[in-house]
Amino acid sequence: MITSVKNEKIKGLRKLQKRREREASQKFLVEGFHLVEEARESDWVIEELIIQEGTDIPEWCYRYKLFEVSSNVFQHFSQMKTPQGIAAVVRMNEIKEVKGNYMLLIDSIQDPGNLGTMIRTAEAAGYDGIILGNDTVDMFNDKVIRATQGSIFHIPVIKENLEEKVADLKKKGFQIWATALKNAKKYNEVNVGDKVALIVGNEGAGVKDPLLQLADSIVTIPIYGKAESLNVSIAAGILMYYTKS
């Protein structure tokens, strides 16, 4: 039983809240029964479990290295408003490339909830992989992970220079779609190819001009009410389901 917040193990868990430390250790923290279960059912490696005293845990938990901590210690490193008393340290998967005919490319998304929702929706829509641009929020941010609801463990996600990757995808026969409000066609008026790479951009600035210039089709979603625009994760969801239908 770990009862002190000054314990080195607990200090290490707190460090995983920082992107720099996650990247250096190639580990990240997930919390809650659902996310820990999703990690367990994937090919990602759970290195250890941290259990708050008095928490009822399934039998499979005992197959892992397990640490029990007092409630005040769990609260100390938890980033949930209502902790469930279970957390896991997970080793990052080394994914070098994504394969398939449907790719989501994410350019400079800053909101963790938006990124997490898009990862979740891409997996649900049957997309094959996700490519994050260099300026996008860290996919191992705890808010991103929670918003994915576990999809982060089931769809390949890599980080690349998007301009270089788009050029490579075009050579491989992908039709490049990019979202924009100006000089765009309605998405449902564009023929969908057998291979599609969909680019969505920053919440405020949209897709960068160099990427728009590389696109085969610039598409928009019509708005019939008084809203100025759609949330980027909603727009991405509409377009992913459309291109897969």
Side-chain angles (χ1 to χ4, degrees), residues 57-77:
I57 56 175
E59 188 65 32
W60 58 260
C61 289
Y62 295 99
R63 300 174 199 163
Y64 297 95
K65 184 186 295 184
L66 192 151
F67 294 90
E68 189 176 16
V69 304
S70 61
S71 57
N72 69 301
V73 168
F74 200 94
Q75 291 277 354
H76 182 68
F77 70 80

Side-chain angles (χ1 to χ4, degrees), residues 68-200:
E68 189 176 16
V69 304
S70 61
S71 57
N72 69 301
V73 168
F74 200 94
Q75 291 277 354
H76 182 68
F77 70 80
S78 174
Q79 292 184 281
M80 295 178 67
K81 289 182 179 179
T82 310
Q84 296 179 10
I86 184 170
V89 175
V90 182
R91 189 187 310 160
M92 293 181 186
N93 260 5
E94 188 177 353
I95 303 170
K96 293 184 178 179
E97 63 176 333
V98 290
K99 298 177 180 179
N101 295 337
Y102 295 90
M103 301 290 167
L104 176 65
L105 280 61
I106 297 177
D107 175 29
S108 305
I109 290 296
Q110 296 299 300
D111 183 87
N114 282 338
L115 177 58
T117 300
M118 283 190 279
I119 292 172
R120 180 182 182 182
T121 308
E123 198 244 332
Y127 259 55
D128 299 301
I130 299 171
I131 303 166
L132 306 180
N134 294 327
D135 298 325
T136 294
V137 63
D138 180 24
M139 65 179 281
F140 297 109
N141 175 300
D142 72 291
K143 292 179 181 178
V144 174
I145 294 171
R146 288 203 297 274
T148 72
Q149 284 293 299
S151 290
I152 192 172
F153 299 116
H154 306 304
I155 183 170
V157 184
I158 61 173
K159 186 176 176 180
E160 296 259 359
N161 178 297
L162 290 187
E163 289 179 47
E164 294 176 3
K165 193 62 184 178
V166 167
D168 179 57
L169 289 171
K170 291 186 79 164
K171 290 178 184 177
K172 293 178 179 177
F174 277 79
Q175 181 185 39
I176 311 298
W177 283 36
T179 57
L181 296 175
K182 296 179 180 179
N183 303 317
K185 293 182 179 180
K186 293 179 181 179
Y187 75 96
N188 54 357
E189 295 177 354
V190 178
N191 292 327
V192 181
D194 295 329
K195 294 183 175 182
V196 176
L198 169 65
I199 311 172
V200 295

